[in-house]
Each structure stands twice: as C-alpha cells, then as structure tokens.
Amino acid sequence: MAIINTKLKPFTTQAYHNGKFVTVSDADLKGKWSVFFFYPADFTFVCPT
C-alpha cells in the first residue's frame, strides 16, 4: 500500500550505514525525500529464506 505524502510519525531506529550501525530518527529526515521499505517477519521461521 502506498502512502505518498503521509506525515511521518516520530521514530528512532538503528540502521547499517558505511560499515557501522548508526541511529536514525525522524529529525534526521526532516525536509528530505525518503523511501522506506518494511519487511515484516523477515528471516524468521515464517519466512524460510
């Protein structure tokens, strides 16, 4: 489901960038275009890949 032009809710999460883990928040993305992909239950017993 596409949710283009939807306001982003406040969040903080870990991301892997340039060989290390960094903290990313909604404040880091303010005023920038962003694309998010979510893979629920990926790499668990639900998904055998």
Side-chain angles (χ1 to χ4, degrees):
M1 174 175 70
I3 51 176
I4 297 171
N5 288 331
T6 301
K7 189 170 183 170
L8 187 63
K9 295 180 182 180
F11 74 92
T12 302
T13 190
Q14 290 290 107
Y16 190 75
H17 181 67
N18 288 336
K20 60 183 176 179
F21 285 96
V22 295
T23 301
V24 178
S25 72
D26 57 310
D28 298 326
L29 305 171
K30 193 166 190 148
K32 299 177 183 176
W33 284 87
S34 303
V35 176
F36 289 87
F37 293 94
F38 295 92
Y39 296 95
D42 208 11
F43 304 111
T44 65
F45 69 93
V46 175
C47 179
T49 59

